Structure formats: structure tokens, C-alpha cells
Amino acid sequence: MTEIAIRIHNGKEVIESFDSLINPEKDIPLAIFALTGIDNEMVRHAPVFGDIAKRVFEMLEGRIFVAHNVNFDYSFIKHQLAECGIKWAAKKLCTVRMARKIKPGHRSYSLGYLCDDLDIPILNRHRAGGDCEATAILFSRLLQWDEDGVIAGMIKKSSKDQRLPPNLPADQFEALPERPGVYYFHDLKGKVIYVGKALNIKKRVGQHFSGHNINPQRQNFMREIYAISSEICATELMALLLECAEIKRLWPAHNRALKKYEPKFGLFVYEDMAGYKRLAVGKLSKFHTCCMMVNREYDAVKLLSGLVDRYGIDTRLCSFTNTKLSRQDIAQTAIMAHLPPVDEHNALVESALEELQRCRPTFALFDKGRDGNEKSCVFIEKGNFYGMGYIDSGCQLSDIDDVRDNLTRYAGNHYMAQLIINYAERYPRKVMNLAHQ
């Protein structure tokens, strides 16, 4: 915090004010200076928050805390007071949510645009005092315009309005199902900015909005949420796979965790200038197709070592360390003596690669559906995630094509395939092994 402004409002007018710059005891970032105009020199001799903490607490204690996007300001002040050993909590009112209910239909509910529309002056925009004065005027106007008792309802302890993001309609949250599935957060333009999965969609979404995390990323994330949608899934596995598929399809700005799970290494085959098919461990890239993807270089080396041992492949024609792959002849090939005949060596490599293909399973996982009239199905084909969906309980499935025809095709990845294969190992009774007819 670099500045604080407090106005005590008695329901009719401001009766007390407090303003102070704050020395944050660290350099002020350039972005903050550009927004507020506050630089290091301005706060050099200002009090640190601990010096004004008692005064701030005395002004706030026992009062309703009002702010534009209230959770943002509330989280910072609660955190700063806690750092000084002061426990504080208060009922909250958000003037964004109040304005949306009392004065609907405005182009934007940011403080600047809203005050422009309502002819409320803002002096010193993005400074604590200027924004606080404008919010106090806005609050007074909203009190006058509130003919339906909206504000009284919002300050009830049971009201969920105060913990929701400022731009999210409360009825959208209330309409969320309490079932497994996937939920989507949308921005002002309807673009998906986050995808999540849950055993209980409504409960999990509510957890996003609880607590008072002052992390700027979280606060900005909350302000960007304008709508929520969801899709019910029959099982946690179906929800997890749909979440992965949707993140891969939509690449939402605020999803980070699942973006890290792609495999990093693989086993590659290429033909050198002498005609030998070489097996090599390498990092994955979009320019090469590998025989098998793995998470770690160690796993790729172990895989190649096993093939070499089982098929007697000449190790001089294999690369066990991460290397840049090239179709050009490696210089040492020409000077190697007593290499096996090309045809003989390549036959061994082909046999090894055929083994890899045979090890890739094809099966379907069947589980409960979203209701009693259907069952869920997840399909793995040759070790890769093919698709999933819901099949009528009375549907007779005789071969692989019958399963395929009843599913939705999804772009999968190694992480999703491993999830399904691991699940199948834990629950073999749910597995139907399939083969091409």
C-alpha cells in the first residue's frame, strides 16, 4: 500500500475523513507510478502502515466497509492490519454490485465510466482520496435511489453478494449445479478465461471467491469474471478429462497448472545416410514425430535400453542421451567397423517398433451415467485418448466401431491417456478390451 483514504458516512453524508501516504518500505514499481503518479520520493518521509494502523482500525471497527470492488480493498487492509497484529473483520458493501442492481444497463461499472455516466466528479483519479470521495458520492446517490431495499438485503449476514466477484450476477452463482462437472469463467466479451473441474460445481466455484488473498493476479482475476457456465459430468474422471480437453482447446488465460503436464521427451527413429535406422532419445518438438512419448529423459533411456537388450540392437546405432535429431549421417558412422548388415539391423529395429505398437492398448472404460438411462464411456485407441461420451444403457456394443460411433472425438494428450490407463489399472472391472475387426 502506498496511500489510504477513509471517509466515515452516516447514511446521509461524510462526517469524518482520513488521508495519508504510506511508505511501503520498498521501491514503487513503474506501473504503479504510471497509474497513480506516486513515486519513491513522495513516500520517503511518509509513515509506514504500522504507524497509522491503530488509527485505521479505530475508524473501521464496528462499521460497514464500503468500496468499489470491495473485496480488493478489504483484502489489502485486512492483511496490513493482520501484519501489525490487529484482527479485524467487517460487513461489506460493494458499490459495483449495488450499482448493477439499483442502476442496471450502464456500459461499464468501473468507477471512472460509472461516475461519468452519473455526472459524479472524480478529482485526482487513481489516487486514494479522489477515488474515495467519488465512491462516497456514488454511495450517497445509491442510497437515495434504492427504493426496493436492495442495500439492506445486501448487508444481511446471509447475503452471498459480498463474497462474489463484483461483476458476476449472483443468480448465475445460485443456479450452479451441486454435481460433478466442469465450470467456465467468462470475461466481459464472453471469452473463457478459466476452466475448472469439481465433484460439486457450486461448492468449488464458491471456494474461488472465499478468503482474502491479496495476490494481484487473484484480484485481477476476480475483476475479470462476468459470467459462469457449467457442464455436468457423470464421474470425476469424466470431469477431469473434459477439463483437460477444454483447456487444450480454449487455452484460457488463467489456467496454468495443466499446461505443464505435457511430456518432454520421446523415443525417435530416423534413417541415416548409410541407410541404418537409428533409435534415439530426444526432446519433443513439433518438427519430429516420435515412436513413444515419456515424461522424463530417464524413462526414454530405460525404454530404449529394454528394446536394445531384447532385440540385440547394436548400441552404436542408438543414442541414449538427449540430442538434436537430424536425418543427416552422423560422422562416426563412416569410421565404425564391423557394423551389422543394414537389412539385418533394420529388421531388428522394425521388430522393436512393432512391439511398442502392440503394447499400446485399445479399450473402453464404462461407468455410471448422469442418470439411470445412460452410461459413461472413455475410449483409448492404441494407447491414445480417442474420445468420450454417454451411451444409452440399452445400446448393444459389439465392436470398436460401435463404441466410436457413440462418442465425441476430443484432441487428447499424453497426460490424459496416462490418467485413463492408470484408472483402468485400478478398476479393471470397468474395462472392456476391444480390437479392430
Side-chain angles (χ1 to χ4, degrees), residues 292-322:
M292 182 74 75
M293 292 183 291
V294 292
N295 292 318
R296 302 174 300 170
E297 184 176 11
Y298 169 80
D299 297 324
V301 171
K302 186 176 179 181
L303 175 64
L304 178 54
S305 298
L307 294 176
V308 166
D309 291 342
R310 287 194 295 278
Y311 290 92
I313 298 171
D314 196 309
T315 56
R316 293 174 295 175
L317 295 167
C318 300
S319 176
F320 291 87
T321 57
N322 177 32

PDB file of all heavy atoms in Angstrom, residues 292-322:
ATOM      1  N   MET A 292       7.331 -42.999 -29.162  1.00  0.00           N
ATOM      2  CA  MET A 292       6.730 -43.077 -27.837  1.00  0.00           C
ATOM      3  C   MET A 292       7.084 -41.830 -27.049  1.00  0.00           C
ATOM      4  O   MET A 292       8.241 -41.416 -27.034  1.00  0.00           O
ATOM      5  CB  MET A 292       7.240 -44.327 -27.103  1.00  0.00           C
ATOM      6  CG  MET A 292       6.632 -44.533 -25.729  1.00  0.00           C
ATOM      7  SD  MET A 292       4.908 -45.104 -25.798  1.00  0.00           S
ATOM      8  CE  MET A 292       5.151 -46.818 -26.275  1.00  0.00           C
ATOM      9  N   MET A 293       6.089 -41.207 -26.400  1.00  0.00           N
ATOM     10  CA  MET A 293       6.323 -40.032 -25.562  1.00  0.00           C
ATOM     11  C   MET A 293       6.446 -40.461 -24.106  1.00  0.00           C
ATOM     12  O   MET A 293       5.729 -41.361 -23.653  1.00  0.00           O
ATOM     13  CB  MET A 293       5.180 -39.031 -25.703  1.00  0.00           C
ATOM     14  CG  MET A 293       5.085 -38.376 -27.060  1.00  0.00           C
ATOM     15  SD  MET A 293       3.755 -37.140 -27.137  1.00  0.00           S
ATOM     16  CE  MET A 293       2.312 -38.211 -27.047  1.00  0.00           C
ATOM     17  N   VAL A 294       7.329 -39.811 -23.371  1.00  0.00           N
ATOM     18  CA  VAL A 294       7.503 -40.081 -21.945  1.00  0.00           C
ATOM     19  C   VAL A 294       7.724 -38.756 -21.221  1.00  0.00           C
ATOM     20  O   VAL A 294       8.051 -37.741 -21.838  1.00  0.00           O
ATOM     21  CB  VAL A 294       8.695 -41.031 -21.672  1.00  0.00           C
ATOM     22  CG1 VAL A 294       8.417 -42.425 -22.203  1.00  0.00           C
ATOM     23  CG2 VAL A 294       9.969 -40.477 -22.286  1.00  0.00           C
ATOM     24  N   ASN A 295       7.581 -38.788 -19.906  1.00  0.00           N
ATOM     25  CA  ASN A 295       7.704 -37.559 -19.127  1.00  0.00           C
ATOM     26  C   ASN A 295       9.151 -37.161 -18.876  1.00  0.00           C
ATOM     27  O   ASN A 295       9.487 -35.983 -18.848  1.00  0.00           O
ATOM     28  CB  ASN A 295       6.988 -37.707 -17.784  1.00  0.00           C
ATOM     29  CG  ASN A 295       5.480 -37.798 -17.945  1.00  0.00           C
ATOM     30  OD1 ASN A 295       4.896 -37.073 -18.737  1.00  0.00           O
ATOM     31  ND2 ASN A 295       4.857 -38.697 -17.220  1.00  0.00           N
ATOM     32  N   ARG A 296      10.018 -38.161 -18.671  1.00  0.00           N
ATOM     33  CA  ARG A 296      11.395 -37.862 -18.283  1.00  0.00           C
ATOM     34  C   ARG A 296      12.386 -38.481 -19.251  1.00  0.00           C
ATOM     35  O   ARG A 296      12.105 -39.500 -19.877  1.00  0.00           O
ATOM     36  CB  ARG A 296      11.672 -38.402 -16.870  1.00  0.00           C
ATOM     37  CG  ARG A 296      10.759 -37.857 -15.790  1.00  0.00           C
ATOM     38  CD  ARG A 296      11.024 -38.554 -14.464  1.00  0.00           C
ATOM     39  NE  ARG A 296      10.783 -39.996 -14.558  1.00  0.00           N
ATOM     40  CZ  ARG A 296      11.118 -40.877 -13.615  1.00  0.00           C
ATOM     41  NH1 ARG A 296      11.725 -40.455 -12.525  1.00  0.00           N
ATOM     42  NH2 ARG A 296      10.858 -42.166 -13.769  1.00  0.00           N
ATOM     43  N   GLU A 297      13.551 -37.890 -19.337  1.00  0.00           N
ATOM     44  CA  GLU A 297      14.613 -38.443 -20.169  1.00  0.00           C
ATOM     45  C   GLU A 297      14.996 -39.838 -19.681  1.00  0.00           C
ATOM     46  O   GLU A 297      15.264 -40.749 -20.478  1.00  0.00           O
ATOM     47  CB  GLU A 297      15.831 -37.513 -20.145  1.00  0.00           C
ATOM     48  CG  GLU A 297      16.968 -37.962 -21.068  1.00  0.00           C
ATOM     49  CD  GLU A 297      18.108 -36.974 -21.086  1.00  0.00           C
ATOM     50  OE1 GLU A 297      18.130 -36.056 -20.243  1.00  0.00           O
ATOM     51  OE2 GLU A 297      18.991 -37.113 -21.956  1.00  0.00           O
ATOM     52  N   TYR A 298      15.003 -40.037 -18.368  1.00  0.00           N
ATOM     53  CA  TYR A 298      15.321 -41.339 -17.779  1.00  0.00           C
ATOM     54  C   TYR A 298      14.384 -42.421 -18.309  1.00  0.00           C
ATOM     55  O   TYR A 298      14.810 -43.548 -18.622  1.00  0.00           O
ATOM     56  CB  TYR A 298      15.229 -41.259 -16.255  1.00  0.00           C
ATOM     57  CG  TYR A 298      15.276 -42.598 -15.553  1.00  0.00           C
ATOM     58  CD1 TYR A 298      16.492 -43.249 -15.330  1.00  0.00           C
ATOM     59  CD2 TYR A 298      14.101 -43.226 -15.134  1.00  0.00           C
ATOM     60  CE1 TYR A 298      16.531 -44.482 -14.703  1.00  0.00           C
ATOM     61  CE2 TYR A 298      14.125 -44.453 -14.505  1.00  0.00           C
ATOM     62  CZ  TYR A 298      15.347 -45.078 -14.286  1.00  0.00           C
ATOM     63  OH  TYR A 298      15.381 -46.307 -13.666  1.00  0.00           O
ATOM     64  N   ASP A 299      13.084 -42.096 -18.423  1.00  0.00           N
ATOM     65  CA  ASP A 299      12.112 -43.076 -18.905  1.00  0.00           C
ATOM     66  C   ASP A 299      12.387 -43.454 -20.361  1.00  0.00           C
ATOM     67  O   ASP A 299      12.229 -44.622 -20.761  1.00  0.00           O
ATOM     68  CB  ASP A 299      10.693 -42.518 -18.782  1.00  0.00           C
ATOM     69  CG  ASP A 299      10.310 -42.255 -17.332  1.00  0.00           C
ATOM     70  OD1 ASP A 299      10.724 -43.042 -16.467  1.00  0.00           O
ATOM     71  OD2 ASP A 299       9.605 -41.275 -17.080  1.00  0.00           O
ATOM     72  N   ALA A 300      12.797 -42.472 -21.162  1.00  0.00           N
ATOM     73  CA  ALA A 300      13.099 -42.749 -22.571  1.00  0.00           C
ATOM     74  C   ALA A 300      14.345 -43.628 -22.684  1.00  0.00           C
ATOM     75  O   ALA A 300      14.396 -44.555 -23.507  1.00  0.00           O
ATOM     76  CB  ALA A 300      13.304 -41.439 -23.325  1.00  0.00           C
ATOM     77  N   VAL A 301      15.364 -43.343 -21.877  1.00  0.00           N
ATOM     78  CA  VAL A 301      16.597 -44.148 -21.886  1.00  0.00           C
ATOM     79  C   VAL A 301      16.292 -45.582 -21.453  1.00  0.00           C
ATOM     80  O   VAL A 301      16.781 -46.553 -22.053  1.00  0.00           O
ATOM     81  CB  VAL A 301      17.656 -43.515 -20.965  1.00  0.00           C
ATOM     82  CG1 VAL A 301      18.853 -44.453 -20.797  1.00  0.00           C
ATOM     83  CG2 VAL A 301      18.107 -42.172 -21.519  1.00  0.00           C
ATOM     84  N   LYS A 302      15.468 -45.726 -20.414  1.00  0.00           N
ATOM     85  CA  LYS A 302      15.093 -47.062 -19.935  1.00  0.00           C
ATOM     86  C   LYS A 302      14.326 -47.833 -21.003  1.00  0.00           C
ATOM     87  O   LYS A 302      14.552 -49.040 -21.211  1.00  0.00           O
ATOM     88  CB  LYS A 302      14.236 -46.921 -18.677  1.00  0.00           C
ATOM     89  CG  LYS A 302      13.904 -48.240 -17.999  1.00  0.00           C
ATOM     90  CD  LYS A 302      13.127 -47.996 -16.713  1.00  0.00           C
ATOM     91  CE  LYS A 302      12.764 -49.334 -16.044  1.00  0.00           C
ATOM     92  NZ  LYS A 302      11.980 -49.090 -14.796  1.00  0.00           N
ATOM     93  N   LEU A 303      13.429 -47.143 -21.707  1.00  0.00           N
ATOM     94  CA  LEU A 303      12.672 -47.780 -22.782  1.00  0.00           C
ATOM     95  C   LEU A 303      13.597 -48.258 -23.892  1.00  0.00           C
ATOM     96  O   LEU A 303      13.489 -49.408 -24.360  1.00  0.00           O
ATOM     97  CB  LEU A 303      11.646 -46.780 -23.333  1.00  0.00           C
ATOM     98  CG  LEU A 303      10.820 -47.220 -24.545  1.00  0.00           C
ATOM     99  CD1 LEU A 303       9.926 -48.396 -24.196  1.00  0.00           C
ATOM    100  CD2 LEU A 303       9.973 -46.044 -25.062  1.00  0.00           C
ATOM    101  N   LEU A 304      14.520 -47.411 -24.322  1.00  0.00           N
ATOM    102  CA  LEU A 304      15.444 -47.780 -25.394  1.00  0.00           C
ATOM    103  C   LEU A 304      16.365 -48.912 -24.961  1.00  0.00           C
ATOM    104  O   LEU A 304      16.629 -49.841 -25.734  1.00  0.00           O
ATOM    105  CB  LEU A 304      16.259 -46.547 -25.813  1.00  0.00           C
ATOM    106  CG  LEU A 304      17.323 -46.767 -26.896  1.00  0.00           C
ATOM    107  CD1 LEU A 304      16.728 -47.420 -28.137  1.00  0.00           C
ATOM    108  CD2 LEU A 304      17.987 -45.442 -27.256  1.00  0.00           C
ATOM    109  N   SER A 305      16.840 -48.866 -23.721  1.00  0.00           N
ATOM    110  CA  SER A 305      17.726 -49.921 -23.217  1.00  0.00           C
ATOM    111  C   SER A 305      17.032 -51.274 -23.227  1.00  0.00           C
ATOM    112  O   SER A 305      17.630 -52.302 -23.574  1.00  0.00           O
ATOM    113  CB  SER A 305      18.194 -49.586 -21.797  1.00  0.00           C
ATOM    114  OG  SER A 305      18.941 -48.394 -21.773  1.00  0.00           O
ATOM    115  N   GLY A 306      15.739 -51.276 -22.871  1.00  0.00           N
ATOM    116  CA  GLY A 306      14.985 -52.528 -22.886  1.00  0.00           C
ATOM    117  C   GLY A 306      14.856 -53.105 -24.286  1.00  0.00           C
ATOM    118  O   GLY A 306      15.003 -54.324 -24.485  1.00  0.00           O
ATOM    119  N   LEU A 307      14.592 -52.249 -25.267  1.00  0.00           N
ATOM    120  CA  LEU A 307      14.480 -52.713 -26.654  1.00  0.00           C
ATOM    121  C   LEU A 307      15.820 -53.242 -27.160  1.00  0.00           C
ATOM    122  O   LEU A 307      15.881 -54.271 -27.861  1.00  0.00           O
ATOM    123  CB  LEU A 307      13.992 -51.567 -27.549  1.00  0.00           C
ATOM    124  CG  LEU A 307      12.566 -51.070 -27.294  1.00  0.00           C
ATOM    125  CD1 LEU A 307      12.268 -49.869 -28.184  1.00  0.00           C
ATOM    126  CD2 LEU A 307      11.538 -52.174 -27.541  1.00  0.00           C
ATOM    127  N   VAL A 308      16.899 -52.550 -26.817  1.00  0.00           N
ATOM    128  CA  VAL A 308      18.238 -52.980 -27.232  1.00  0.00           C
ATOM    129  C   VAL A 308      18.549 -54.371 -26.674  1.00  0.00           C
ATOM    130  O   VAL A 308      19.057 -55.254 -27.387  1.00  0.00           O
ATOM    131  CB  VAL A 308      19.296 -51.951 -26.772  1.00  0.00           C
ATOM    132  CG1 VAL A 308      20.701 -52.539 -26.875  1.00  0.00           C
ATOM    133  CG2 VAL A 308      19.193 -50.683 -27.604  1.00  0.00           C
ATOM    134  N   ASP A 309      18.242 -54.585 -25.400  1.00  0.00           N
ATOM    135  CA  ASP A 309      18.528 -55.868 -24.761  1.00  0.00           C
ATOM    136  C   ASP A 309      17.683 -56.989 -25.353  1.00  0.00           C
ATOM    137  O   ASP A 309      18.187 -58.099 -25.596  1.00  0.00           O
ATOM    138  CB  ASP A 309      18.270 -55.769 -23.255  1.00  0.00           C
ATOM    139  CG  ASP A 309      19.288 -54.884 -22.554  1.00  0.00           C
ATOM    140  OD1 ASP A 309      20.355 -54.627 -23.142  1.00  0.00           O
ATOM    141  OD2 ASP A 309      19.014 -54.444 -21.422  1.00  0.00           O
ATOM    142  N   ARG A 310      16.412 -56.736 -25.580  1.00  0.00           N
ATOM    143  CA  ARG A 310      15.508 -57.795 -26.049  1.00  0.00           C
ATOM    144  C   ARG A 310      15.755 -58.170 -27.508  1.00  0.00           C
ATOM    145  O   ARG A 310      15.572 -59.335 -27.899  1.00  0.00           O
ATOM    146  CB  ARG A 310      14.051 -57.369 -25.860  1.00  0.00           C
ATOM    147  CG  ARG A 310      13.593 -57.392 -24.416  1.00  0.00           C
ATOM    148  CD  ARG A 310      12.087 -57.299 -24.281  1.00  0.00           C
ATOM    149  NE  ARG A 310      11.562 -56.026 -24.740  1.00  0.00           N
ATOM    150  CZ  ARG A 310      11.554 -54.913 -24.004  1.00  0.00           C
ATOM    151  NH1 ARG A 310      12.077 -54.934 -22.797  1.00  0.00           N
ATOM    152  NH2 ARG A 310      11.039 -53.804 -24.473  1.00  0.00           N
ATOM    153  N   TYR A 311      16.176 -57.225 -28.332  1.00  0.00           N
ATOM    154  CA  TYR A 311      16.314 -57.494 -29.766  1.00  0.00           C
ATOM    155  C   TYR A 311      17.759 -57.509 -30.246  1.00  0.00           C
ATOM    156  O   TYR A 311      18.015 -57.734 -31.431  1.00  0.00           O
ATOM    157  CB  TYR A 311      15.503 -56.461 -30.563  1.00  0.00           C
ATOM    158  CG  TYR A 311      14.012 -56.671 -30.402  1.00  0.00           C
ATOM    159  CD1 TYR A 311      13.307 -56.009 -29.399  1.00  0.00           C
ATOM    160  CD2 TYR A 311      13.318 -57.556 -31.211  1.00  0.00           C
ATOM    161  CE1 TYR A 311      11.954 -56.211 -29.222  1.00  0.00           C
ATOM    162  CE2 TYR A 311      11.958 -57.767 -31.049  1.00  0.00           C
ATOM    163  CZ  TYR A 311      11.273 -57.095 -30.058  1.00  0.00           C
ATOM    164  OH  TYR A 311       9.932 -57.319 -29.887  1.00  0.00           O
ATOM    165  N   GLY A 312      18.700 -57.321 -29.339  1.00  0.00           N
ATOM    166  CA  GLY A 312      20.105 -57.372 -29.725  1.00  0.00           C
ATOM    167  C   GLY A 312      20.504 -56.284 -30.709  1.00  0.00           C
ATOM    168  O   GLY A 312      21.314 -56.513 -31.614  1.00  0.00           O
ATOM    169  N   ILE A 313      19.930 -55.090 -30.558  1.00  0.00           N
ATOM    170  CA  ILE A 313      20.232 -53.978 -31.462  1.00  0.00           C
ATOM    171  C   ILE A 313      21.613 -53.414 -31.125  1.00  0.00           C
ATOM    172  O   ILE A 313      21.966 -53.244 -29.956  1.00  0.00           O
ATOM    173  CB  ILE A 313      19.148 -52.885 -31.345  1.00  0.00           C
ATOM    174  CG1 ILE A 313      17.781 -53.455 -31.773  1.00  0.00           C
ATOM    175  CG2 ILE A 313      19.495 -51.664 -32.187  1.00  0.00           C
ATOM    176  CD1 ILE A 313      16.614 -52.528 -31.494  1.00  0.00           C
ATOM    177  N   ASP A 314      22.403 -53.119 -32.130  1.00  0.00           N
ATOM    178  CA  ASP A 314      23.750 -52.579 -31.932  1.00  0.00           C
ATOM    179  C   ASP A 314      23.658 -51.189 -31.286  1.00  0.00           C
ATOM    180  O   ASP A 314      23.047 -50.272 -31.836  1.00  0.00           O
ATOM    181  CB  ASP A 314      24.466 -52.479 -33.292  1.00  0.00           C
ATOM    182  CG  ASP A 314      25.971 -52.298 -33.127  1.00  0.00           C
ATOM    183  OD1 ASP A 314      26.357 -51.397 -32.359  1.00  0.00           O
ATOM    184  OD2 ASP A 314      26.727 -53.047 -33.768  1.00  0.00           O
ATOM    185  N   THR A 315      24.282 -51.057 -30.122  1.00  0.00           N
ATOM    186  CA  THR A 315      24.189 -49.791 -29.388  1.00  0.00           C
ATOM    187  C   THR A 315      24.888 -48.642 -30.100  1.00  0.00           C
ATOM    188  O   THR A 315      24.599 -47.476 -29.822  1.00  0.00           O
ATOM    189  CB  THR A 315      24.794 -49.947 -27.983  1.00  0.00           C
ATOM    190  OG1 THR A 315      26.141 -50.413 -28.096  1.00  0.00           O
ATOM    191  CG2 THR A 315      23.985 -50.928 -27.153  1.00  0.00           C
ATOM    192  N   ARG A 316      25.810 -48.958 -31.012  1.00  0.00           N
ATOM    193  CA  ARG A 316      26.484 -47.885 -31.739  1.00  0.00           C
ATOM    194  C   ARG A 316      25.538 -47.147 -32.679  1.00  0.00           C
ATOM    195  O   ARG A 316      25.830 -46.023 -33.110  1.00  0.00           O
ATOM    196  CB  ARG A 316      27.665 -48.469 -32.549  1.00  0.00           C
ATOM    197  CG  ARG A 316      28.797 -49.002 -31.684  1.00  0.00           C
ATOM    198  CD  ARG A 316      29.852 -49.682 -32.524  1.00  0.00           C
ATOM    199  NE  ARG A 316      29.336 -50.882 -33.171  1.00  0.00           N
ATOM    200  CZ  ARG A 316      30.026 -51.629 -34.056  1.00  0.00           C
ATOM    201  NH1 ARG A 316      31.258 -51.272 -34.393  1.00  0.00           N
ATOM    202  NH2 ARG A 316      29.485 -52.702 -34.575  1.00  0.00           N
ATOM    203  N   LEU A 317      24.404 -47.772 -32.965  1.00  0.00           N
ATOM    204  CA  LEU A 317      23.414 -47.159 -33.846  1.00  0.00           C
ATOM    205  C   LEU A 317      22.234 -46.587 -33.046  1.00  0.00           C
ATOM    206  O   LEU A 317      21.149 -46.372 -33.590  1.00  0.00           O
ATOM    207  CB  LEU A 317      22.917 -48.177 -34.865  1.00  0.00           C
ATOM    208  CG  LEU A 317      24.008 -48.658 -35.836  1.00  0.00           C
ATOM    209  CD1 LEU A 317      23.549 -49.875 -36.608  1.00  0.00           C
ATOM    210  CD2 LEU A 317      24.398 -47.537 -36.790  1.00  0.00           C
ATOM    211  N   CYS A 318      22.465 -46.366 -31.757  1.00  0.00           N
ATOM    212  CA  CYS A 318      21.450 -45.781 -30.875  1.00  0.00           C
ATOM    213  C   CYS A 318      22.050 -44.604 -30.118  1.00  0.00           C
ATOM    214  O   CYS A 318      23.259 -44.558 -29.871  1.00  0.00           O
ATOM    215  CB  CYS A 318      20.953 -46.825 -29.857  1.00  0.00           C
ATOM    216  SG  CYS A 318      20.205 -48.299 -30.601  1.00  0.00           S
ATOM    217  N   SER A 319      21.218 -43.674 -29.763  1.00  0.00           N
ATOM    218  CA  SER A 319      21.654 -42.527 -28.972  1.00  0.00           C
ATOM    219  C   SER A 319      20.857 -42.510 -27.678  1.00  0.00           C
ATOM    220  O   SER A 319      19.634 -42.374 -27.699  1.00  0.00           O
ATOM    221  CB  SER A 319      21.434 -41.225 -29.746  1.00  0.00           C
ATOM    222  OG  SER A 319      21.775 -40.128 -28.941  1.00  0.00           O
ATOM    223  N   PHE A 320      21.569 -42.655 -26.543  1.00  0.00           N
ATOM    224  CA  PHE A 320      20.910 -42.761 -25.246  1.00  0.00           C
ATOM    225  C   PHE A 320      20.852 -41.432 -24.499  1.00  0.00           C
ATOM    226  O   PHE A 320      20.344 -41.362 -23.396  1.00  0.00           O
ATOM    227  CB  PHE A 320      21.636 -43.788 -24.368  1.00  0.00           C
ATOM    228  CG  PHE A 320      21.472 -45.194 -24.852  1.00  0.00           C
ATOM    229  CD1 PHE A 320      22.335 -45.724 -25.799  1.00  0.00           C
ATOM    230  CD2 PHE A 320      20.452 -45.988 -24.366  1.00  0.00           C
ATOM    231  CE1 PHE A 320      22.186 -47.018 -26.254  1.00  0.00           C
ATOM    232  CE2 PHE A 320      20.290 -47.294 -24.817  1.00  0.00           C
ATOM    233  CZ  PHE A 320      21.158 -47.816 -25.759  1.00  0.00           C
ATOM    234  N   THR A 321      21.394 -40.390 -25.061  1.00  0.00           N
ATOM    235  CA  THR A 321      21.353 -39.084 -24.414  1.00  0.00           C
ATOM    236  C   THR A 321      20.586 -38.124 -25.297  1.00  0.00           C
ATOM    237  O   THR A 321      20.535 -38.281 -26.519  1.00  0.00           O
ATOM    238  CB  THR A 321      22.768 -38.525 -24.183  1.00  0.00           C
ATOM    239  OG1 THR A 321      23.458 -38.452 -25.435  1.00  0.00           O
ATOM    240  CG2 THR A 321      23.540 -39.422 -23.226  1.00  0.00           C
ATOM    241  N   ASN A 322      19.995 -37.125 -24.655  1.00  0.00           N
ATOM    242  CA  ASN A 322      19.218 -36.132 -25.379  1.00  0.00           C
ATOM    243  C   ASN A 322      20.086 -35.458 -26.433  1.00  0.00           C
ATOM    244  O   ASN A 322      21.154 -34.941 -26.150  1.00  0.00           O
ATOM    245  CB  ASN A 322      18.689 -35.088 -24.389  1.00  0.00           C
ATOM    246  CG  ASN A 322      17.932 -33.986 -25.081  1.00  0.00           C
ATOM    247  OD1 ASN A 322      17.296 -34.216 -26.103  1.00  0.00           O
ATOM    248  ND2 ASN A 322      18.019 -32.801 -24.531  1.00  0.00           N
TER     249      ASN A 322
END
